[in-house]
Amino acid sequence: MTQHSRDTPQFYLTAPSPCPYLPGRHERKVFTHLVGDKAGDLNDLLTHGGFRRSQSIAYRPACDNCRACVSVRVIANEFRPSRNFRKVLARNSDIVGELRAAAPTSEQYSVFRAYLDERHRHGGMADMTVLDYAMMVEDTHVQTRLIEYRTRGPDSGITGRGERLIAVALTDILSDGLSMVYSFFEPTEHDRSLGTYMILDHISRARRMGLPYVYLGYWIEGSKKMDYKGRFLPQQRLAPSGWLRIDAGGGAAEPQD
């Protein structure tokens, strides 16, 4: 019987289940556990290969006869906001974003619960309790942070902290970028486009941190839930031949390192 090292990842394949993004299709995932001292290095390596993290699990779609899920990462230093993106930034100029340790709070869960009830009441996360939320935030063996977005108060310039919490992003800090694991926001703030704003903020943060990429997860052409990620250009999309650069107009360039 072969004895595997604790640091050697073992990969597993899930059973087929209905695809949450494309009607009439089924999904399967390959996954492994992110544990131990080398979890951060493994998470880096797997993210570069198209995996995503959920708690202490790294997973990637492995569907039969379907390759619709495409990993995307924005090229932070070359990104220039379009006119529409600049409008989103202007609408949210009263927001303060604070990078914090990955520690859950009841205030965060209140926004999270409102977000699920409004946007994903029939989704797989709809029944998540406050303990489930705490596990989502805390169950990590990699460098993870929370970014809290608050409206700017009269003392914000002094304390660096805003007032009312309206959005949160759970983000991994990788060797070459920021990976947006999960984000949510106050659903009553319809006009702010907070999902878009958080991506724009992450691009700015990555640039300031000297990190070349912002990993957005999977772009799925034709999926209303995922197609928006294709708007943040230039970006790279993972193909069998490697990361392909996509510029305005959708043209693909040669594989990138």
Side-chain angles (χ1 to χ4, degrees):
M1 181 175 179
T2 302
Q3 181 67 41
H4 291 285
S5 165
R6 186 173 183 271
D7 293 326
T8 302
Q10 304 298 302
F11 291 88
Y12 308 91
L13 188 64
T14 66
S17 60
C19 177
Y21 304 113
L22 297 175
R25 302 194 192 185
H26 286 77
E27 68 169 359
R28 301 187 78 179
K29 294 186 178 76
V30 59
F31 70 94
T32 191
H33 296 277
L34 295 169
V35 295
D37 296 337
K38 296 185 179 180
D41 293 338
L42 180 59
N43 188 43
D44 262 36
L45 180 65
L46 292 178
T47 301
H48 298 161
F51 279 71
R52 295 286 288 163
R53 185 182 72 82
S54 177
Q55 296 180 217
S56 60
I57 297 290
Y59 68 91
R60 187 184 70 183
C63 307
D64 298 329
N65 304 315
C66 181
R67 297 293 181 268
C69 294
V70 179
S71 293
V72 297
R73 61 188 187 187
V74 182
I75 305 173
N77 277 337
E78 297 185 38
F79 176 83
R80 299 294 181 269
S82 65
R83 181 183 179 187
N84 285 337
F85 286 153
R86 291 196 298 271
K87 289 181 178 179
V88 172
L89 291 171
R91 285 199 297 269
N92 292 285
S93 60
D94 62 331
I95 288 181
V96 177
E98 182 182 4
L99 189 70
R100 300 172 58 84
T105 67
S106 58
E107 187 183 25
Q108 295 164 13
Y109 180 72
S110 178
V111 177
F112 177 71
R113 187 71 261 164
Y115 173 78
L116 291 183
D117 291 344
E118 175 73 20
R119 296 294 189 98
H120 302 287
R121 67 181 64 183
H122 301 298
M125 301 172 70
D127 296 328
M128 285 182 65
T129 66
V130 65
L131 294 178
D132 295 326
Y133 173 74
M135 285 294 292
M136 182 178 80
V137 173
E138 293 179 326
D139 187 11
T140 175
H141 296 262
V142 304
Q143 189 176 3
T144 304
R145 296 291 184 269
L146 282 171
I147 303 177
E148 291 188 345
Y149 296 91
R150 298 175 180 274
T151 54
R152 193 182 304 274
D155 298 327
S156 298
I158 299 173
T159 65
R161 184 179 178 85
E163 291 186 334
R164 185 169 66 95
L165 181 68
I166 61 172
V168 179
L170 182 65
T171 301
D172 288 346
I173 302 177
L174 307 177
S175 62
D176 68 345
L178 300 178
S179 177
M180 299 185 69
V181 176
Y182 194 77
S183 59
F184 54 93
F185 50 85
E186 174 55 60
T188 59
E189 299 283 348
H190 301 290
D191 297 334
R192 286 183 177 270
S193 301
L194 287 168
T196 296
Y197 173 73
M198 283 189 280
I199 294 176
L200 295 173
D201 179 70
H202 275 69
I203 294 171
S204 296
R205 287 177 183 273
R207 189 183 297 126
R208 294 196 301 268
M209 295 168 71
L211 298 172
Y213 304 116
V214 173
Y215 289 83
L216 299 183
Y218 300 116
W219 168 75
I220 304 175
E221 188 174 15
S223 168
K224 293 178 68 175
K225 292 181 181 179
M226 295 295 200
D227 197 40
Y228 71 92
K229 297 177 183 181
R231 297 187 294 125
F232 296 87
L233 301 171
Q235 65 180 221
Q236 293 177 359
R237 299 176 186 171
L238 186 58
S241 58
W243 288 95
L244 299 178
R245 179 189 174 101
I246 306 294
D247 289 294
E254 293 299 315
Q256 308 289 302
D257 293 332

